Amino acid sequence: DAGVTQSPTHLIKTRGQQVTLRCSPKSGHDTVSWYQQALGQGPQFIFQYYEEEERQRGNFPDRFSGHQFPNYSSELNVNALLLGDSALYLCASSLRALGGETQYFGPGTRLLVL
Amino acid sequence: AQSVTQPDIHITVSEGASLELRCNYSYGATPYLFWYVQSPGQGLQLLLKYFSGDTLVQGIKGFEAEFKRSQSSFNLRKPSVHWSDAAEYFCAVGDYKLSFGAGTTVTVRA
């Protein structure tokens, strides 16, 4: 049973560029959440996608956007990159119908903005 | 608003000794509580969770946690630590949106 997968594993961009990160959920899961983890900190919730719509959003600017596809996979897009966007981006999947969801995390994509 | 406080930034423990990591939470309703572990450069692995019922929950790798509503705490324990338990541990609270603490780094000395 494949767990949550993310690509790429590492990425280097320059300020002002745009980036797209990808996530495939655990088999059987229908909900994808994205988190940003800055160095030395706990993960911060960005947003959650269910039924191809953004359902919940954390305190992140509109430069952060996402998408969920019919196969439940998801993308995170960040526009106009800032140095402060350098972080580990974690994707988590869950099965919404269960309620009180247990989220399972992928290995993350480490983004460095120069 | 929901939030988590992990008072201990760093804990050093000898191999074979017991370990307890503290977690205090703030949540408006019955909390869903989680402990995750993160090895360097890795994602988060779920250790255990509490939704309801028995306040002492068992997890993987010999970990357990006790929910105390009166103290708004969900402390993680392990009776005998192994060198492989060296990692960063995160407590989290929430339903569809998880709020994490800042983490506790555990170092295991031989």
Side-chain angles (χ1 to χ4, degrees):
Chain A
D1 180 22
V4 180
T5 59
Q6 293 186 242
S7 63
T9 56
H10 294 82
L11 207 51
I12 299 175
K13 292 287 188 179
T14 57
R15 281 180 299 173
Q17 285 189 312
Q18 178 262 345
V19 68
T20 297
L21 310 181
R22 296 176 176 81
C23 171
S24 292
K26 183 178 169 68
S27 178
H29 285 183
D30 58 8
T31 301
V32 172
S33 303
W34 286 92
Y35 293 79
Q36 180 195 67
Q37 185 179 20
L39 201 60
Q41 297 182 23
Q44 299 288 319
F45 176 78
I46 302 175
F47 43 53
Q48 183 181 81
Y49 276 83
Y50 171 67
E51 291 186 334
E52 302 180 46
E53 291 189 14
E54 183 182 295
R55 300 291 179 169
Q56 300 254 339
R57 189 177 183 93
N59 189 26
F60 279 81
D62 292 345
R63 297 187 299 109
F64 290 77
S65 63
H67 189 77
Q68 186 179 34
F69 300 94
N71 67 353
Y72 307 118
S73 66
S74 176
E75 288 182 349
L76 164 65
N77 301 292
V78 186
N79 295 321
L81 285 167
L82 304 174
L83 296 180
D85 295 331
S86 295
L88 180 67
Y89 288 85
L90 296 164
C91 168
S93 75
S94 55
L95 182 58
R96 193 175 183 89
L98 291 180
E101 301 170 349
T102 299
Q103 297 187 20
Y104 295 87
F105 285 80
T109 293
R110 187 163 297 280
L111 172 65
L112 177 61
V113 182
L114 301 176
Chain B
Q2 60 190 50
S3 66
V4 170
T5 301
Q6 293 181 246
D8 304 304
I9 297 173
H10 192 188
I11 287 180
T12 299
V13 61
S14 297
E15 192 168 16
S18 63
L19 174 69
E20 181 167 12
L21 304 182
R22 296 183 291 166
C23 171
N24 294 100
Y25 68 89
S26 174
Y27 194 74
T30 301
Y32 298 128
L33 293 157
F34 307 84
W35 275 99
Y36 287 89
V37 61
Q38 186 176 38
S39 297
Q42 302 298 311
L44 302 175
Q45 182 183 22
L46 179 69
L47 286 176
L48 48 78
K49 61 189 178 185
Y50 172 79
F51 286 175
S52 64
D54 193 347
T55 57
L56 185 64
V57 293
Q58 303 297 320
I60 63 171
K61 303 185 179 185
F63 285 93
E64 66 178 25
E66 185 172 13
F67 169 62
K68 292 185 177 180
R69 185 185 298 275
S70 62
Q71 298 178 19
S72 297
S73 69
F74 188 56
N75 294 347
L76 181 72
R77 297 193 293 256
K78 185 168 184 177
S80 178
V81 169
H82 187 261
W83 64 265
S84 60
D85 294 322
E88 183 118 24
Y89 292 79
F90 292 96
C91 180
V93 67
D95 188 349
Y96 300 115
K97 164 190 169 182
L98 294 182
S99 294
F100 286 83
T104 298
T105 301
V106 173
T107 298
V108 181
R109 60 184 174 214

